[in-house]
Amino acid sequence: MSFSEAKNDLHPTDTAPGDQRIDRADIVEELKSYLLGLGLSILLTAVAFFLSGTSLVWGPSIPVALIVLAIAQMGVHLVFFLHMTTAPDSVNNILALAFGVLIVLLILAGTIWIMGTMNHNMAVSDGTMRMHMENGLGTRGVTARGVVAPAARAAIVSRVSGAVQSLDCDVKTKVKAGQTCAKIDAHRYETIVDEKAAEVKSARARLEKREADLSEARTGLERREASPDRRPSARRATDRVRATFERVRNAVEAEKAKVGKLELALQNAEINLGAANIVSPMDGIVVARNVQVGQTVTASADAPLFVVAANSDVAQIQVSLSASDIGQVQIGDKAAITVSTYPGRKFSGEVSQIQPVQPAGGTDLAASVVITAPNLDGRLEPGMPAMVRIVTK
Amino acid sequence: MTYVDTAVGRGDPDRIGSDRAHSSRQHTLGHAEGDLASKRIVVGFGFWIFLISDIIMFSAFFATYVVLVDNTAGGPKGRELFNLGSVALETGCLLASSFTCGVASIGARLRSNVWFHGAMAATFVLGAAFLALEVRELGGLVSQGYGPARSAFLSAFFALVGCHGLHISVGLLWLLTMVAQVYAKGYRADIMRRNLCFSLFWHALDIVWVALFTVVYLMGMRQ
């Protein structure tokens, strides 16, 4: 009790890990121990780094040497930094450490042995391996290749004939509804519109003249009928005026009909002129182009200049499954989709359609399966080859 | 009598047992016969058990890494990604910080502010340098497109190295709180117990790093 508290602290009957039983006078010794530990660690580290890059030593021995050096350095740390010794006062610490080392060895050896063997057995081929790794091990399922199909397609056809003057769209162009994709030489259609406009103009002028005649005839007729003259000669004259009025009125009607017909023709010509601009009917992405600049196209619904696939929030992937696989797949099964453009990214979808098909020339029943996947960010673009793994129950 | 010592600031107010009363007793192995250990020893031993469990957790990460190291999914192998110069610098920083951490505990025992705070500052700078180098390395990999999602190998690599880096980050924060506690309250027995735990933690992280640079980097360069 006469000893100081500090003295008492430094001389307990046991030591905590990291503690060293020394007096203040022994501080220098402790510092020396740290320095020795530092020196040994630097030496071991330097040798390890040297060995890892050298070709002076027999290659296969190097990993073993590296592990031995690492264990040696851990020992140096334990003894010189953590002050683990075999002295009786740190027996508890050593026992705990020994138990920890046992568990660590069990985990490492057990994992490397079991998983290493499994990993080796799995490695059938690099491609299969990668597919397994990408699609998740341990789940039962069916794997197939397919292509991302658009939800809706529209063909852009030309409604007029002519030479293609310019192209604004190509495969993979994103288009909006009404956006111009190509221009057909419109010169001919402009001429027709001008001609028709001139015809409409002259027909209207004729109509105006006839209408003036008509109002003059109407005025004359009304004046005669307002002051009736009962003499036969006067009555005959009135009849003649009336006949003239009827004739003029019929002529005006005929002229009106002619103007209407010509205006319709003008409208048609204007529509044809407008059709020289080939536009996309909807928002989407161009997936096919069948036309070049300078090519003469004809108005035909059978020969689309472009095909546009609609932008959609869902993508559909069509895959074919063999007879042996089809029995396992049900509508609603989850599917993982990977595309080569986004390696490592997995899109999820589900089976939405199963249609049996009879493959040409074969008796083996197969089925065409449609996988529907949400595609809000539009990453699954039409035409992308896709790898699909359907998880079966 | 123990509570009088508290006022002086040298004694341990929470001392378990009364080994001082038995100070004349003979030293025995592991105190089998009811001689209770001092609180410093109990705390140190308890933290030692925690560290061993932490190392067992690291061993699981190591085992995962070793199993997955060849599964590169067509991506790069470790040899194409690692820069041994940077790793050597990291190793040097951590080793030196482990040494300065030991110096700090000597300084604490001497009650020397210059030695304790100086060595703690050096430990912090070296630890922060290690962390900066590691963050630069991992950030560089991610920006090249070789993030943890690229392959099973990179997932395991990021998990293992990231877990160690996370421990270092926690250790640096702990270091700051230790310095603040000593600064505010002096070298009290309870604070010295915490400092003991901190230095154990820091040394243990260096031991994990020895395994890490050997298994991941040095052996990775040869695969």
Side-chain angles (χ1 to χ4, degrees):
Chain A
M1 265 354 311
S2 55
F3 260 68
S4 71
E5 281 291 314
K7 185 77 179 167
N8 214 333
D9 259 1
L10 292 173
H11 280 289
T13 49
D14 209 342
T15 52
D19 261 1
Q20 227 181 3
R21 307 185 59 184
I22 49 163
D23 273 321
R24 285 176 186 221
D26 293 333
I27 290 286
V28 178
E29 287 302 313
E30 192 176 353
L31 193 59
K32 271 185 188 166
S33 142
Y34 276 117
L35 278 171
L36 188 57
L38 180 68
L40 283 173
S41 298
I42 290 176
L43 188 67
L44 290 166
T45 307
V47 172
F49 271 81
F50 169 75
L51 272 185
S52 79
T54 189
S55 53
L56 291 175
V57 190
W58 183 53
S61 74
I62 289 179
V64 180
L66 288 175
I67 289 176
V68 169
L69 284 169
I71 292 174
Q73 189 172 171
M74 287 181 200
V76 166
H77 281 245
L78 282 172
V79 172
F80 293 99
F81 289 169
L82 288 163
H83 307 310
M84 288 289 147
T85 60
T86 51
D89 48 30
S90 63
V91 128
N92 287 339
N93 304 331
I94 294 288
L95 279 179
L97 178 65
F99 180 68
V101 169
L102 174 71
I103 303 291
V104 165
L105 288 180
L106 282 177
I107 291 177
L108 286 177
T111 310
I112 292 167
W113 179 38
I114 297 172
M115 292 305 294
T117 309
M118 279 178 69
N119 216 356
H120 182 74
N121 291 345
M122 297 275 304
V124 184
S125 75
D126 200 35
T128 325
M129 187 70 191
R130 201 177 310 147
M131 216 164 74
H132 278 295
M133 296 312 290
E134 282 168 4
N135 293 321
L137 292 166
T139 49
R140 281 166 16 100
V142 173
T143 306
R145 285 174 191 281
V147 173
V148 180
R153 275 165 181 263
I156 305 181
V157 297
S158 176
R159 280 179 285 114
V160 293
S161 309
V164 175
Q165 206 169 37
S166 68
L167 282 177
D168 300 313
C169 292
D170 202 344
V171 173
K172 291 202 173 159
T173 307
K174 289 197 167 94
V175 291
K176 296 242 172 280
Q179 184 179 328
T180 302
C181 270
K183 279 195 176 120
I184 288 176
D185 184 11
H187 194 72
R188 189 149 64 96
Y189 300 99
E190 280 165 4
T191 316
I192 294 172
V193 168
D194 289 347
E195 274 172 27
K196 296 290 176 196
E199 280 172 23
V200 168
K201 201 178 167 190
S202 61
R204 280 204 181 122
R206 279 201 302 279
L207 177 62
E208 270 171 32
K209 190 166 171 298
R210 292 286 181 202
E211 277 174 340
D213 290 349
L214 181 63
S215 72
E216 197 178 311
R218 186 181 286 126
T219 317
L221 183 62
E222 280 167 356
R223 200 169 48 228
R224 280 195 173 273
E225 283 176 344
S227 49
D229 194 337
R230 296 205 175 269
R231 283 175 300 184
S233 61
R235 266 212 314 265
R236 275 198 302 277
T238 302
D239 286 344
R240 270 204 307 279
V241 170
R242 185 175 289 122
T244 308
F245 170 74
E246 296 290 343
R247 206 175 58 241
V248 173
R249 197 171 63 185
N250 289 342
V252 165
E253 289 306 318
E255 211 60 57
K256 267 187 183 161
K258 211 181 272 176
V259 167
K261 213 187 274 178
L262 285 170
E263 275 175 344
L264 213 60
L266 173 62
Q267 256 175 32
N268 271 333
E270 278 169 347
I271 286 169
N272 279 344
L273 176 60
N277 271 348
I278 310 288
V279 298
S280 167
M282 61 182 182
D283 291 0
I285 182 163
V286 177
V287 289
R289 173 174 68 86
N290 307 320
V291 69
Q292 270 113 35
V293 173
Q295 184 183 335
T296 301
V297 295
T298 51
S300 157
D302 301 330
L305 307 186
F306 301 94
V307 178
V308 177
N311 276 340
S312 172
D313 293 343
V314 287
Q316 293 190 318
I317 296 105
Q318 193 164 19
V319 297
S320 293
L321 291 184
S322 67
S324 55
D325 286 338
I326 194 62
Q328 307 173 37
V329 178
Q330 291 176 324
I331 285 183
D333 279 351
K334 296 268 175 279
I337 300 141
T338 46
V339 290
S340 56
T341 316
Y342 301 106
R345 211 189 127 150
K346 210 185 272 182
F347 301 87
S348 52
E350 60 177 51
V351 175
S352 58
Q353 279 179 46
I354 302 175
Q355 292 169 331
V357 291
Q358 190 81 40
T363 50
D364 196 18
L365 250 181
S368 145
V369 171
V370 175
I371 316 287
T372 305
N375 188 29
L376 290 173
D377 53 3
R379 294 233 172 139
L380 289 175
E381 285 172 30
M384 275 185 178
M387 178 74 88
V388 174
R389 181 170 175 83
I390 302 166
V391 180
T392 55
K393 284 164 191 135
Chain B
M1 59 123 201
T2 46
Y3 293 100
V4 178
D5 291 332
T6 318
V8 195
R10 287 182 296 160
D12 180 355
D14 306 317
R15 184 176 293 279
I16 306 168
S18 53
D19 53 342
R20 241 161 305 156
H22 308 289
S23 56
S24 59
R25 196 176 268 191
Q26 74 278 24
H27 294 173
T28 46
L29 285 184
H31 302 277
E33 359 79 302
D35 188 8
L36 293 175
S38 78
K39 182 144 192 184
R40 181 172 172 88
I41 291 164
V42 172
V43 166
F45 186 67
F47 196 75
W48 182 235
I49 301 284
F50 160 73
L51 283 181
I52 288 169
S53 71
D54 207 31
I55 285 172
I56 289 172
M57 183 205 70
F58 266 111
S59 76
F61 278 98
F62 271 104
T64 311
Y65 177 82
V66 171
V67 168
L68 294 177
V69 69
D70 293 324
N71 296 333
T72 50
K77 284 179 166 295
R79 195 177 19 177
E80 300 152 41
L81 298 177
F82 300 151
N83 170 10
L84 271 200
S86 166
V87 174
L89 211 56
E90 284 174 34
T91 307
C93 282
L94 212 54
L95 185 58
S97 83
S98 207
F99 172 74
T100 56
C101 181
V103 173
S105 63
I106 295 178
R109 201 172 299 186
L110 285 173
R111 308 291 190 261
S112 158
N113 275 330
V114 175
W115 279 102
F116 176 75
H117 287 295
M120 284 299 243
T123 308
F124 183 82
V125 169
L126 289 164
F130 170 87
L131 203 60
L133 284 168
E134 188 162 280
V135 165
R136 196 187 63 173
E137 184 198 345
L138 298 189
L141 288 183
V142 170
S143 66
Q144 289 172 61
Y146 303 135
R150 178 64 189 83
S151 64
F153 154 63
L154 281 166
S155 305
F157 170 78
F158 271 81
L160 176 56
V161 177
C163 186
H164 181 263
L166 221 58
H167 275 75
I168 293 283
S169 314
V170 170
L172 286 176
L173 290 177
W174 191 358
L175 188 156
L176 291 178
T177 67
M178 280 320 306
V179 169
Q181 287 178 66
V182 169
Y183 181 77
K185 297 173 180 167
Y187 299 94
R188 250 166 42 186
D190 55 340
I191 291 172
M192 285 304 96
R193 281 201 304 273
R194 289 172 203 161
N195 194 52
L196 169 70
C197 294
F198 166 72
S199 63
L200 283 177
F201 183 70
W202 198 256
H203 290 315
L205 287 187
D206 199 10
I207 290 179
V208 172
W209 179 254
V210 170
L212 207 154
F213 83 70
T214 303
V215 172
V216 175
Y217 292 104
L218 296 187
M219 290 169 74
M221 287 308 273
R222 300 202 59 86
Q223 271 159 358

